[in-house]
Amino acid sequence: MYAAIDIGSNAARLLIKSVYRDASGQLVFKKEYFFRYPLRLGEDVFVNGKITKERRKKTITFIKACKQIMELYNVVLFRCCATSAMRDASNGKSLISDIRKETGINVEIISGSEEAAIVYGNHIELAARQQATCAYVDVGGGSTEITLIRKGVRESACSYNIGTLRMLHRPEEVNDAELERIASDMQAFGRECGQPVNIIGSGGNINKLYKLALLAGMPECGDGRLAVPALKEILERLRGMDVKERMARFDLKPDRADVIVPAGEIFVNVAGALHSDYVLVPALGLADGIVERLYMEFNSWK
């Protein structure tokens, strides 16, 4: 059993997977347990620059719960990572110190580039099966990581200071400037490739957008592919509703209903710049990448 604790800007997650080889010798990562809690550190950090006492307490409680669950599942190795909100919080390091004292668990604040590398590593085999040139786009609450692949080789990995919660809590002109920077970078890559570049999407919001497109019977959607016209149409429907209407109409949780539109806007921005036909949605994220890395590193020296 291997586990990953992902303390994101919007939600915190615990993922536990078992790893084994099937009858053909193929390596299999099987999800045994998954828990997501809407911790929303970004609501504190992106507004006030620090994590409040109440949310500090909730973060420690979440880690304590993770520790107990990992003990029940006999986890042999785990890693706990925090991303954008914890990176930006003025009191992030003191919170990590308190977590270590109360739980014995070390929380690593990972950079945007490492976050991108972990997500990218999680999709290497997928890219080989799908296409040689593509863009991996992981949209989180505080940042967006994009890895560009040309002819099967990673060309660059960038972290952009824009995410779903961050977009909700700062001026529109600041968001527009960062979206323009992303579009400029993607357009340059697209021109060099000389072809439409499709996207592999990561994050809970693109997974939900894909499911909504399927439920609506959108054309050219299925087998993990979300057609860009369908993405745009779903996004327009959601834009025309307030948060409560989205919750009622699409059965969305409160912490999904408010961030799903900013996430869609980021994906549409990237897709437009790359002239993408579709977004491939494999339902894999940072936590999956952490588990895969743990297994590979552990078995390289064992």
Side-chain angles (χ1 to χ4, degrees):
M1 295 286 184
Y2 296 81
I5 302 172
D6 168 17
I7 305 175
S9 299
N10 187 38
R13 305 164 187 84
L14 169 64
L15 173 66
I16 299 175
K17 285 187 173 184
S18 59
V19 187
Y20 62 93
R21 294 192 181 276
D22 61 18
S24 65
Q26 185 74 26
L27 197 62
V28 176
F29 290 82
K30 180 184 177 184
K31 184 193 298 183
E32 300 290 348
Y33 180 89
F34 178 75
F35 174 64
R36 176 186 181 275
Y37 179 75
L39 196 56
R40 311 211 104 183
L41 295 182
E43 285 193 340
D44 290 345
V45 178
F46 304 147
V47 176
N48 301 312
K50 64 180 182 179
I51 301 167
T52 59
K53 288 183 179 179
E54 180 182 355
R55 229 174 291 259
R56 284 171 67 96
K57 185 178 179 180
K58 286 185 177 181
T59 304
I60 293 171
T61 300
F62 175 79
I63 297 295
K64 286 180 177 178
C66 290
K67 184 176 181 179
Q68 292 181 329
I69 293 168
M70 289 190 296
E71 288 175 357
L72 289 173
Y73 277 83
N74 298 316
V75 169
V76 297
L77 204 61
F78 73 91
R79 186 181 182 190
C80 180
C81 295
T83 56
S84 184
M86 197 77 84
R87 285 197 298 266
D88 291 359
S90 61
N91 58 349
K93 290 183 179 179
S94 68
L95 173 55
I96 286 173
S97 178
D98 289 344
I99 291 171
R100 188 184 301 112
K101 289 175 184 176
E102 295 200 33
T103 69
I105 288 179
N106 181 50
V107 179
E108 300 175 57
I109 299 180
I110 61 173
S111 66
S113 58
E114 182 175 0
E115 188 176 351
I118 292 172
V119 173
Y120 160 74
N122 203 29
H123 296 108
I124 291 174
E125 183 181 345
L126 183 66
R129 293 201 307 267
Q130 297 296 332
Q131 60 182 49
T133 299
C134 54
Y136 299 94
V137 182
D138 179 47
V139 176
S143 64
T144 294
E145 278 64 48
I146 302 179
T147 302
L148 300 174
I149 309 299
R150 192 195 311 220
K151 297 181 179 179
V153 178
R154 184 173 73 166
E155 182 163 299
S156 64
C158 299
S159 180
Y160 296 93
N161 194 34
I162 190 167
T164 57
L165 269 182
R166 201 182 289 273
M167 287 180 72
L168 291 175
H169 293 289
R170 70 180 182 186
E172 188 174 334
E173 59 268 23
V174 178
N175 293 328
D176 289 344
E178 194 69 1
L179 287 171
E180 287 176 12
R181 188 165 80 91
I182 293 175
S184 178
D185 290 347
M186 297 305 105
Q187 287 167 358
F189 180 69
R191 285 194 297 269
E192 292 172 3
C193 294
Q195 60 182 17
V197 178
N198 289 315
I199 297 168
I200 296 179
S202 178
N205 288 296
I206 194 64
N207 293 331
K208 180 59 70 173
L209 287 164
Y210 171 65
K211 290 175 183 176
L212 292 178
L214 289 180
L215 288 172
M218 297 275 183
E220 299 182 32
C221 292
D223 296 325
R225 293 191 181 196
L226 171 57
V228 171
L231 169 61
K232 291 179 178 178
E233 185 173 340
I234 287 292
L235 181 59
E236 283 306 310
R237 292 184 188 182
L238 290 166
R239 276 195 187 120
M241 307 174 188
D242 61 25
V243 171
K244 289 184 178 179
E245 287 175 312
R246 294 171 199 163
M247 290 168 60
R249 178 75 180 274
F250 296 108
D251 193 27
L252 298 176
K253 295 179 180 179
D255 62 294
R256 180 71 67 200
D258 60 348
V259 296
I260 194 168
V261 168
E265 290 173 349
I266 294 173
F267 276 104
V268 166
N269 177 68
V270 175
L274 292 172
H275 302 286
S276 307
D277 296 319
Y278 63 84
V279 180
L280 190 65
V281 186
L284 296 171
L286 178 64
D288 299 272
I290 291 171
V291 168
E292 184 172 327
R293 274 197 172 192
L294 281 174
Y295 174 82
M296 297 304 179
E297 291 171 0
F298 179 68
N299 286 276
S300 68
W301 57 260
K302 188 175 67 173

